[in-house]
Amino acid sequence: MSAISRDRIPEGVIERLPLYLGVLIQLRQQGESTVSSARLGELTDINPAQIRRDLTHFGSFGKRGVGYDIVTLVDRVQRILGADHVHRLALVGAGHLGSAIADYNGLRQHGFNVTAIFDNDPRKVGTKIGDIIVQYIDDLERVVADQSIRIGIVAVPPAAAQEAADRLAEAGVKIILNYTPVIVRVPAGVTLHNTDPVHELLHTLYYLSRTEDVV
Amino acid sequence: MSAISRDRIPEGVIERLPLYLGVLIQLRQQGESTVSSARLGELTDINPAQIRRDLTHFGSFGKRGVGYDIVTLVDRVQRILGADHVHRLALVGAGHLGSAIADYNGLRQHGFNVTAIFDNDPRKVGTKIGDIIVQYIDDLERVVADQSIRIGIVAVPPAAAQEAADRLAEAGVKIILNYTPVIVRVPAGVTLHNTDPVHELLHTLYYLSRTEDVV
DNA sequence: TAGATTGTTAATCGATTAACAATC
DNA sequence: TAGATTGTTAATCGATTAACAATC
């Protein structure tokens, strides 16, 4: 290897790649064939210089005077992220949130396939969400290992969150998406990502109180 | 005012405040009365120096040699974020995702009160989610204005996302949480926050492909 | 060739962290 | 008083952006 620098890639770069990917796929659907960093910047609200800079961390994918070939760039970004092949997902929790996630088509479109759903409620076990039959939580370890699933989603009530994460990690899952407000501990080697509407609301709220003055 | 600097607060600081708040509330529940930045750092995985630095943007809330009084700090952080009083929320979309959000107790605990839910499906209109009756989407403008709701959540199918956001903004909403993968445009003065599981999965995925090598 | 746009450097800007004096 | 921990400064580190030569 020569041109491509294999140094640490800044976190911010990795966060922006999915954003680029989303816009690129949209452009591809619209039949566009090339795109400039300027146009990409408009669509993502990100400085074009930064987009170019971000991409050079992984190589040089554009043509001077022309821009980036969309099909190629989609492919490259997917490969960088590891989204160029299918990933099986285990979902813990078959309530409203779990159902929403399992039904969500966007996942499959990006190669994320929910292939196992677990719940501890006997009334839910055996029912179907989409194509998938809800299984009893005690089968988690076996099923996850059998399917060598490496991504898990925690969509259970707060009180059950830590246990769900523990079992997923124990079963060999490497990425856990936590949809619970609970601060979950995971062993080293497991990447945790938290999503909590409260967190996001509180964050945005700050800017609200600055703009209008509350009575 | 003298001590408190009224300069621009870095985005990162505002993002961390909700995290501190979550941990502080947890500590308060456990009956703790004071906490040091060191302990707070352990619980949040954030450098203690940064925590102290972050807080000084808003004043000095601690006691040297002692730490921070938890009750006071919770109160101060809530006030900074604007979370010291109740906010009404309008929810668009009464599907699984909408139901999950409306049922979510964490919201109410932080002063977020879903007081209006809208859907365009006549079969859902009139049904109840928790205490709230689902209303027809065409009533959105009227209801939101009547209740002077300033926060809206979009939990509809992707195709309906832009329209939902447009109507919320039109009705006077200032913060929109978009739970759709669609890149939604909002008028100036409206703050948009996007949450998409795909986005988060793709982001985390990058680190997965670095650690283990895929076959 | 002239125009456009990349890849890359260098300058700026901002955020994180270590260190320590102030002080409870 | 001795020990602990804050508030704050200064140093480091990293990320963003402007600018432009390379080149399609």
Side-chain angles (χ1 to χ4, degrees):
Chain A
M1 302 284 112
S2 53
I4 301 152
S5 55
R6 269 277 153 266
D7 42 15
R8 288 263 153 273
I9 311 294
E11 173 82 11
V13 176
I14 307 302
E15 268 175 35
R16 287 186 291 271
L17 287 180
L19 191 56
Y20 302 155
L21 186 58
V23 170
L24 286 167
I25 287 175
Q26 196 183 309
L27 289 169
R28 191 180 58 179
Q29 268 173 352
Q30 291 165 11
E32 305 281 327
S33 64
T34 59
V35 67
S36 68
S37 60
R39 178 99 183 91
L40 226 39
E42 280 170 29
L43 294 170
T44 55
D45 263 320
I46 291 174
N47 184 303
Q50 180 155 83
I51 296 177
R52 297 200 298 276
R53 193 77 165 64
D54 284 355
L55 292 175
T56 54
H57 282 105
F58 306 99
S60 56
F61 309 132
K63 252 203 184 68
R64 291 168 201 237
V66 181
Y68 298 90
D69 177 74
I70 293 177
V71 171
T72 312
L73 195 53
V74 165
D75 186 65
R76 300 309 294 264
V77 174
Q78 283 184 330
R79 222 179 289 182
I80 292 165
L81 289 171
D84 56 337
H85 53 102
V86 170
H87 294 272
R88 287 178 294 282
L89 259 61
L91 176 62
V92 191
H96 280 307
L97 182 55
S99 303
I101 294 169
D103 285 344
Y104 174 38
N105 279 318
L107 285 177
R108 183 158 313 192
Q109 280 163 19
H110 281 267
F112 296 108
N113 233 323
V114 176
T115 58
I117 305 178
F118 304 97
D119 205 293
N120 69 352
D121 182 343
R123 285 167 303 178
K124 281 183 191 143
V125 173
T127 63
K128 269 190 168 186
I129 299 182
D131 291 340
I132 311 298
I133 296 173
V134 177
Q135 301 181 74
Y136 189 56
I137 183 80
D138 282 348
D139 294 329
L140 189 149
E141 284 84 351
R142 185 177 52 74
V143 174
V144 166
D146 277 4
Q147 299 191 18
S148 30
I149 293 177
R150 291 177 301 161
I151 307 179
I153 300 184
V154 176
V156 299
Q162 182 64 61
E163 197 202 330
D166 288 347
R167 299 185 78 157
L168 285 168
E170 177 65 28
V173 157
K174 296 298 174 205
I175 296 179
I176 295 178
L177 244 66
N178 174 29
Y179 274 89
T180 278
V182 173
I183 297 182
V184 160
R185 296 280 158 188
V186 293
V190 176
T191 309
L192 178 71
H193 195 107
N194 297 295
T195 306
D196 180 11
V198 165
H199 218 274
E200 289 152 28
L201 279 170
L202 286 172
H203 173 198
T204 328
L205 201 52
Y206 174 82
Y207 296 99
L208 177 64
S209 31
R210 301 313 111 167
T211 31
E212 8 172 316
D213 264 312
V214 191
V215 205
Chain B
M1 301 284 113
S2 52
I4 301 152
S5 54
R6 269 277 153 265
D7 43 13
R8 286 265 154 272
I9 311 294
E11 173 82 9
V13 177
I14 308 303
E15 270 175 35
R16 285 187 292 271
L17 288 180
L19 190 57
Y20 303 155
L21 186 57
V23 170
L24 287 167
I25 288 175
Q26 197 182 310
L27 289 169
R28 191 179 57 180
Q29 267 172 353
Q30 291 166 11
E32 305 280 327
S33 64
T34 60
V35 67
S36 67
S37 60
R39 177 101 185 91
L40 225 39
E42 279 170 31
L43 294 170
T44 55
D45 263 320
I46 291 173
N47 185 303
Q50 180 156 82
I51 296 177
R52 296 199 300 276
R53 193 79 164 62
D54 283 355
L55 293 175
T56 54
H57 282 106
F58 308 98
S60 56
F61 310 131
K63 252 202 185 69
R64 292 168 201 237
V66 180
Y68 299 90
D69 178 74
I70 293 177
V71 171
T72 312
L73 194 54
V74 164
D75 185 66
R76 300 309 293 265
V77 174
Q78 283 183 330
R79 222 179 291 183
I80 292 164
L81 289 170
D84 57 336
H85 53 101
V86 171
H87 294 271
R88 285 177 296 281
L89 259 59
L91 175 61
V92 191
H96 280 306
L97 182 56
S99 302
I101 294 169
D103 285 345
Y104 175 38
N105 279 319
L107 285 177
R108 182 158 312 192
Q109 278 163 21
H110 281 267
F112 297 108
N113 234 322
V114 176
T115 59
I117 305 177
F118 304 96
D119 205 292
N120 68 352
D121 181 345
R123 284 167 303 177
K124 281 183 189 144
V125 172
T127 64
K128 268 190 170 186
I129 299 183
D131 290 341
I132 311 298
I133 296 173
V134 177
Q135 301 181 74
Y136 190 56
I137 183 79
D138 281 348
D139 294 330
L140 189 150
E141 284 83 351
R142 186 178 50 75
V143 174
V144 167
D146 277 4
Q147 298 190 19
S148 29
I149 293 177
R150 291 177 301 160
I151 308 179
I153 300 184
V154 176
V156 299
Q162 182 63 61
E163 197 201 330
D166 287 346
R167 298 183 78 156
L168 284 168
E170 177 64 29
V173 157
K174 295 299 174 204
I175 295 179
I176 295 179
L177 242 64
N178 173 29
Y179 274 89
T180 277
V182 174
I183 297 180
V184 160
R185 296 280 157 188
V186 294
V190 175
T191 309
L192 177 71
H193 194 107
N194 296 294
T195 305
D196 180 13
V198 166
H199 218 274
E200 288 154 26
L201 279 171
L202 287 172
H203 172 198
T204 328
L205 201 51
Y206 173 82
Y207 296 100
L208 178 63
S209 31
R210 301 312 111 170
T211 32
E212 8 173 318
D213 265 313
V214 191
V215 204

